Amino acid sequence: MDIQYRLEQKRKVLADFPGPRSLELAARRAQAVAAGVASSVPVYVADADGGIIHDVDGNSFIDLGSGIAVTTVGASDAAVVGAVKEQVEHFTHTCFMVSPYEGYVAVAEKLNQLTPGEHAKRTVLFNSGAEAVENAIKIARIATGRTAVVAFDHAYHGRTNLTMGLTAKAMPYKHGFGPFAGEVYRAPMSYPFREENPQITGKEAAERAILMMSKQIGADQIAAIIIEPIQGEGGFIVPADGFLPRLAEFAKENGIVFIADEVQSGFARTGEWFAVQHEGVVPDLVTTAKGIAGGMPLSAVTGRAELLDAVHGGGLGGTYGGNPVACAAALAAIDTMETQDLRGRAREIEATVKERLGKLQAELGEAGIIGDIRGRGAMLALEFVKAGSGDAKVPDAAATKKIAEYCLKEGVIILTCGTYGNVIRLLPPLVISDELLADGLDVLEAAIRSVA
Ligand code: PLZ
């Protein structure tokens, strides 16, 4: 990796935190912005580059969240910035459904090339992850002539009506927002840390889900199985080895469309282009967003040509889908991932973080608060449990919150997640320097010690 940073990559927090400008903006926000939009941190951003975020009061934070796994190449990657500037000077929009342009086609070609499998593929572009998921379901339904859709425990797929229905967690995502779309079924996930029988294999966990599908829905009624290969908001849950391959095999045997939702796990984040590749799984459809375009809003459904081409002309689209500026950004971001070998960088980050935190976990011991360390590449998590709760593994959301707050006060932005709110997730930009990552981990370690 050879990155020229524009901003100094150094953490700095002033004594009056949050500062006066941020407090002023918070007051304006309270009068102007809907209360339903929450923010993780109380400071307002002025600039961001590499692994650093500057706020409006002169504080600098280490970014271990990448705006929820989006700024994989950093928030102002020179190649992305250049491509965006170049594109906006020519045209910002024409609408691909009205007068098409090359960028859209080039992004589709790139996605067809990078997603797993050698079969003929097609791609359609949208704006958000939720929109990609909705459209993957539309495609699966029309291609199969079936309606049922299976999602999993702890799943997160978005905030639109259908994707809320696919999402598992009620509060805050679904609470009070129903009724939800019909024909959505929920299957048991493989969650190694929380299995009643810790010996259960991935294949056995898949059979448990398959039994549910066969008995409660009927395999021949199912249009699609949708799964995050590593679950995101639900707690960075990595299913046991063999779980995904067996589900994909079951889908194939029964004419079910297997959809990998790689919105969070995709685009070099886990050390492969896509998380399914760690297990050699070839999905029928892949949904992508977040990391795809260096921070510009873009999403996609990519998959088997015969599935995407089963949709009638005009059946897919949207005014902004595949916006030319977002497409230019995507081509540049993917180029940066390739030239900087960011997949390799993700694996380096995994090794560094797991070694550091693994030592701490061992030191705190069996009765310590670090219940589990998991994840792949730079999609890593710590699951916290009440100290001494033993096999009960009682989730400790309060400790998790305290750790995140401690980190923030020391200048490190860290995100939490999980069905039980007891998971800290690490999603640094892959372009973060070794020094900055080490400094961030020092703070995290001190935070954990302060609570443990
Ligand atoms: N699928 C796997 O992770 C978005 C959402 C945060 P959109 N995850 C972050 C929040 O609280 O809104 C996500 C995801 C997976 C789909 C989505 C949805 O992507 O771009 O937010 O619509």
PDB file of all heavy atoms in Angstrom, residues 194-213:
ATOM      1  N   ARG A 194     -23.217 -18.398  20.076  1.00  0.00           N
ATOM      2  CA  ARG A 194     -24.437 -18.511  20.873  1.00  0.00           C
ATOM      3  C   ARG A 194     -25.246 -19.776  20.577  1.00  0.00           C
ATOM      4  O   ARG A 194     -26.440 -19.840  20.856  1.00  0.00           O
ATOM      5  CB  ARG A 194     -25.311 -17.265  20.700  1.00  0.00           C
ATOM      6  CG  ARG A 194     -24.651 -16.030  21.282  1.00  0.00           C
ATOM      7  CD  ARG A 194     -25.583 -14.927  21.654  1.00  0.00           C
ATOM      8  NE  ARG A 194     -24.835 -13.928  22.426  1.00  0.00           N
ATOM      9  CZ  ARG A 194     -24.659 -13.981  23.740  1.00  0.00           C
ATOM     10  NH1 ARG A 194     -25.219 -14.942  24.451  1.00  0.00           N
ATOM     11  NH2 ARG A 194     -23.926 -13.071  24.350  1.00  0.00           N
ATOM     12  N   GLU A 195     -24.637 -20.782  20.001  1.00  0.00           N
ATOM     13  CA  GLU A 195     -25.348 -22.042  19.774  1.00  0.00           C
ATOM     14  C   GLU A 195     -25.583 -22.736  21.113  1.00  0.00           C
ATOM     15  O   GLU A 195     -24.690 -22.773  21.958  1.00  0.00           O
ATOM     16  CB  GLU A 195     -24.525 -22.968  18.870  1.00  0.00           C
ATOM     17  CG  GLU A 195     -24.418 -22.524  17.433  1.00  0.00           C
ATOM     18  CD  GLU A 195     -25.717 -22.638  16.650  1.00  0.00           C
ATOM     19  OE1 GLU A 195     -26.707 -23.205  17.167  1.00  0.00           O
ATOM     20  OE2 GLU A 195     -25.737 -22.120  15.512  1.00  0.00           O
ATOM     21  N   GLU A 196     -26.787 -23.310  21.260  1.00  0.00           N
ATOM     22  CA  GLU A 196     -27.058 -24.095  22.465  1.00  0.00           C
ATOM     23  C   GLU A 196     -26.110 -25.284  22.532  1.00  0.00           C
ATOM     24  O   GLU A 196     -25.585 -25.619  23.578  1.00  0.00           O
ATOM     25  CB  GLU A 196     -28.501 -24.604  22.432  1.00  0.00           C
ATOM     26  CG  GLU A 196     -29.321 -24.116  23.601  1.00  0.00           C
ATOM     27  CD  GLU A 196     -30.777 -24.401  23.381  1.00  0.00           C
ATOM     28  OE1 GLU A 196     -31.165 -25.570  23.554  1.00  0.00           O
ATOM     29  OE2 GLU A 196     -31.521 -23.451  23.012  1.00  0.00           O
ATOM     30  N   ASN A 197     -25.927 -25.912  21.363  1.00  0.00           N
ATOM     31  CA  ASN A 197     -24.966 -27.003  21.278  1.00  0.00           C
ATOM     32  C   ASN A 197     -23.718 -26.487  20.573  1.00  0.00           C
ATOM     33  O   ASN A 197     -23.712 -26.347  19.353  1.00  0.00           O
ATOM     34  CB  ASN A 197     -25.583 -28.167  20.490  1.00  0.00           C
ATOM     35  CG  ASN A 197     -24.531 -29.170  20.064  1.00  0.00           C
ATOM     36  OD1 ASN A 197     -23.394 -29.154  20.569  1.00  0.00           O
ATOM     37  ND2 ASN A 197     -24.894 -30.029  19.120  1.00  0.00           N
ATOM     38  N   PRO A 198     -22.667 -26.192  21.341  1.00  0.00           N
ATOM     39  CA  PRO A 198     -21.480 -25.573  20.734  1.00  0.00           C
ATOM     40  C   PRO A 198     -20.785 -26.486  19.714  1.00  0.00           C
ATOM     41  O   PRO A 198     -19.966 -26.013  18.929  1.00  0.00           O
ATOM     42  CB  PRO A 198     -20.568 -25.279  21.926  1.00  0.00           C
ATOM     43  CG  PRO A 198     -21.153 -25.942  23.114  1.00  0.00           C
ATOM     44  CD  PRO A 198     -22.522 -26.423  22.786  1.00  0.00           C
ATOM     45  N   GLN A 199     -21.126 -27.771  19.711  1.00  0.00           N
ATOM     46  CA  GLN A 199     -20.488 -28.703  18.771  1.00  0.00           C
ATOM     47  C   GLN A 199     -21.147 -28.701  17.388  1.00  0.00           C
ATOM     48  O   GLN A 199     -20.642 -29.315  16.455  1.00  0.00           O
ATOM     49  CB  GLN A 199     -20.549 -30.153  19.307  1.00  0.00           C
ATOM     50  CG  GLN A 199     -20.037 -30.353  20.722  1.00  0.00           C
ATOM     51  CD  GLN A 199     -18.611 -29.842  20.900  1.00  0.00           C
ATOM     52  OE1 GLN A 199     -17.806 -29.864  19.981  1.00  0.00           O
ATOM     53  NE2 GLN A 199     -18.304 -29.346  22.090  1.00  0.00           N
ATOM     54  N   ILE A 200     -22.303 -28.041  17.256  1.00  0.00           N
ATOM     55  CA  ILE A 200     -23.052 -28.120  15.994  1.00  0.00           C
ATOM     56  C   ILE A 200     -22.196 -27.607  14.830  1.00  0.00           C
ATOM     57  O   ILE A 200     -21.545 -26.555  14.930  1.00  0.00           O
ATOM     58  CB  ILE A 200     -24.400 -27.352  16.097  1.00  0.00           C
ATOM     59  CG1 ILE A 200     -25.261 -27.568  14.849  1.00  0.00           C
ATOM     60  CG2 ILE A 200     -24.181 -25.872  16.344  1.00  0.00           C
ATOM     61  CD1 ILE A 200     -26.678 -27.003  14.979  1.00  0.00           C
ATOM     62  N   THR A 201     -22.166 -28.358  13.740  1.00  0.00           N
ATOM     63  CA  THR A 201     -21.364 -27.956  12.584  1.00  0.00           C
ATOM     64  C   THR A 201     -22.178 -26.994  11.701  1.00  0.00           C
ATOM     65  O   THR A 201     -23.401 -26.887  11.851  1.00  0.00           O
ATOM     66  CB  THR A 201     -20.979 -29.168  11.725  1.00  0.00           C
ATOM     67  OG1 THR A 201     -22.182 -29.730  11.185  1.00  0.00           O
ATOM     68  CG2 THR A 201     -20.242 -30.223  12.533  1.00  0.00           C
ATOM     69  N   GLY A 202     -21.492 -26.356  10.759  1.00  0.00           N
ATOM     70  CA  GLY A 202     -22.183 -25.476   9.833  1.00  0.00           C
ATOM     71  C   GLY A 202     -23.213 -26.233   9.019  1.00  0.00           C
ATOM     72  O   GLY A 202     -24.318 -25.743   8.779  1.00  0.00           O
ATOM     73  N   LYS A 203     -22.847 -27.438   8.621  1.00  0.00           N
ATOM     74  CA  LYS A 203     -23.771 -28.231   7.807  1.00  0.00           C
ATOM     75  C   LYS A 203     -25.027 -28.588   8.604  1.00  0.00           C
ATOM     76  O   LYS A 203     -26.147 -28.497   8.104  1.00  0.00           O
ATOM     77  CB  LYS A 203     -23.061 -29.500   7.325  1.00  0.00           C
ATOM     78  CG  LYS A 203     -23.862 -30.287   6.322  1.00  0.00           C
ATOM     79  CD  LYS A 203     -23.024 -31.327   5.607  1.00  0.00           C
ATOM     80  CE  LYS A 203     -23.872 -32.121   4.624  1.00  0.00           C
ATOM     81  NZ  LYS A 203     -25.024 -32.786   5.238  1.00  0.00           N
ATOM     82  N   GLU A 204     -24.816 -28.949   9.872  1.00  0.00           N
ATOM     83  CA  GLU A 204     -25.977 -29.286  10.724  1.00  0.00           C
ATOM     84  C   GLU A 204     -26.858 -28.060  10.954  1.00  0.00           C
ATOM     85  O   GLU A 204     -28.089 -28.155  10.963  1.00  0.00           O
ATOM     86  CB  GLU A 204     -25.501 -29.849  12.073  1.00  0.00           C
ATOM     87  CG  GLU A 204     -24.942 -31.258  11.969  1.00  0.00           C
ATOM     88  CD  GLU A 204     -24.084 -31.679  13.160  1.00  0.00           C
ATOM     89  OE1 GLU A 204     -23.756 -30.826  14.030  1.00  0.00           O
ATOM     90  OE2 GLU A 204     -23.724 -32.859  13.212  1.00  0.00           O
ATOM     91  N   ALA A 205     -26.227 -26.912  11.135  1.00  0.00           N
ATOM     92  CA  ALA A 205     -27.010 -25.679  11.315  1.00  0.00           C
ATOM     93  C   ALA A 205     -27.806 -25.380  10.039  1.00  0.00           C
ATOM     94  O   ALA A 205     -28.949 -24.916  10.098  1.00  0.00           O
ATOM     95  CB  ALA A 205     -26.093 -24.516  11.667  1.00  0.00           C
ATOM     96  N   ALA A 206     -27.197 -25.676   8.883  1.00  0.00           N
ATOM     97  CA  ALA A 206     -27.906 -25.477   7.613  1.00  0.00           C
ATOM     98  C   ALA A 206     -29.094 -26.436   7.521  1.00  0.00           C
ATOM     99  O   ALA A 206     -30.196 -26.050   7.097  1.00  0.00           O
ATOM    100  CB  ALA A 206     -26.955 -25.678   6.434  1.00  0.00           C
ATOM    101  N   GLU A 207     -28.884 -27.685   7.944  1.00  0.00           N
ATOM    102  CA  GLU A 207     -29.990 -28.663   7.902  1.00  0.00           C
ATOM    103  C   GLU A 207     -31.142 -28.220   8.803  1.00  0.00           C
ATOM    104  O   GLU A 207     -32.312 -28.427   8.481  1.00  0.00           O
ATOM    105  CB  GLU A 207     -29.509 -30.070   8.309  1.00  0.00           C
ATOM    106  CG  GLU A 207     -28.495 -30.702   7.357  1.00  0.00           C
ATOM    107  CD  GLU A 207     -28.982 -30.871   5.919  1.00  0.00           C
ATOM    108  OE1 GLU A 207     -30.201 -30.810   5.662  1.00  0.00           O
ATOM    109  OE2 GLU A 207     -28.113 -31.039   5.023  1.00  0.00           O
ATOM    110  N   ARG A 208     -30.812 -27.591   9.918  1.00  0.00           N
ATOM    111  CA  ARG A 208     -31.845 -27.058  10.827  1.00  0.00           C
ATOM    112  C   ARG A 208     -32.688 -26.003  10.089  1.00  0.00           C
ATOM    113  O   ARG A 208     -33.915 -26.000  10.172  1.00  0.00           O
ATOM    114  CB  ARG A 208     -31.134 -26.451  12.041  1.00  0.00           C
ATOM    115  CG  ARG A 208     -32.014 -25.830  13.097  1.00  0.00           C
ATOM    116  CD  ARG A 208     -31.178 -25.371  14.291  1.00  0.00           C
ATOM    117  NE  ARG A 208     -30.226 -24.311  13.924  1.00  0.00           N
ATOM    118  CZ  ARG A 208     -29.228 -23.877  14.713  1.00  0.00           C
ATOM    119  NH1 ARG A 208     -29.040 -24.411  15.914  1.00  0.00           N
ATOM    120  NH2 ARG A 208     -28.427 -22.930  14.320  1.00  0.00           N
ATOM    121  N   ALA A 209     -32.013 -25.137   9.345  1.00  0.00           N
ATOM    122  CA  ALA A 209     -32.732 -24.106   8.578  1.00  0.00           C
ATOM    123  C   ALA A 209     -33.521 -24.736   7.428  1.00  0.00           C
ATOM    124  O   ALA A 209     -34.659 -24.340   7.144  1.00  0.00           O
ATOM    125  CB  ALA A 209     -31.741 -23.072   8.035  1.00  0.00           C
ATOM    126  N   ILE A 210     -32.920 -25.740   6.798  1.00  0.00           N
ATOM    127  CA  ILE A 210     -33.572 -26.399   5.659  1.00  0.00           C
ATOM    128  C   ILE A 210     -34.835 -27.133   6.120  1.00  0.00           C
ATOM    129  O   ILE A 210     -35.870 -27.104   5.442  1.00  0.00           O
ATOM    130  CB  ILE A 210     -32.571 -27.355   4.962  1.00  0.00           C
ATOM    131  CG1 ILE A 210     -31.520 -26.517   4.223  1.00  0.00           C
ATOM    132  CG2 ILE A 210     -33.279 -28.320   4.021  1.00  0.00           C
ATOM    133  CD1 ILE A 210     -30.288 -27.309   3.763  1.00  0.00           C
ATOM    134  N   LEU A 211     -34.770 -27.736   7.292  1.00  0.00           N
ATOM    135  CA  LEU A 211     -35.940 -28.426   7.850  1.00  0.00           C
ATOM    136  C   LEU A 211     -37.078 -27.425   8.034  1.00  0.00           C
ATOM    137  O   LEU A 211     -38.220 -27.676   7.648  1.00  0.00           O
ATOM    138  CB  LEU A 211     -35.575 -29.082   9.191  1.00  0.00           C
ATOM    139  CG  LEU A 211     -36.693 -29.905   9.838  1.00  0.00           C
ATOM    140  CD1 LEU A 211     -36.977 -31.163   9.021  1.00  0.00           C
ATOM    141  CD2 LEU A 211     -36.318 -30.278  11.277  1.00  0.00           C
ATOM    142  N   MET A 212     -36.739 -26.275   8.601  1.00  0.00           N
ATOM    143  CA  MET A 212     -37.754 -25.223   8.797  1.00  0.00           C
ATOM    144  C   MET A 212     -38.367 -24.815   7.455  1.00  0.00           C
ATOM    145  O   MET A 212     -39.581 -24.720   7.307  1.00  0.00           O
ATOM    146  CB  MET A 212     -37.103 -24.036   9.518  1.00  0.00           C
ATOM    147  CG  MET A 212     -37.977 -22.812   9.655  1.00  0.00           C
ATOM    148  SD  MET A 212     -37.676 -21.703   8.252  1.00  0.00           S
ATOM    149  CE  MET A 212     -39.202 -20.834   8.149  1.00  0.00           C
ATOM    150  N   MET A 213     -37.490 -24.597   6.457  1.00  0.00           N
ATOM    151  CA  MET A 213     -37.994 -24.153   5.143  1.00  0.00           C
ATOM    152  C   MET A 213     -38.882 -25.220   4.514  1.00  0.00           C
ATOM    153  O   MET A 213     -39.949 -24.926   3.970  1.00  0.00           O
ATOM    154  CB  MET A 213     -36.818 -23.852   4.206  1.00  0.00           C
ATOM    155  CG  MET A 213     -36.022 -22.629   4.602  1.00  0.00           C
ATOM    156  SD  MET A 213     -34.771 -22.252   3.342  1.00  0.00           S
ATOM    157  CE  MET A 213     -33.277 -22.452   4.260  1.00  0.00           C
TER     158      MET A 213
END
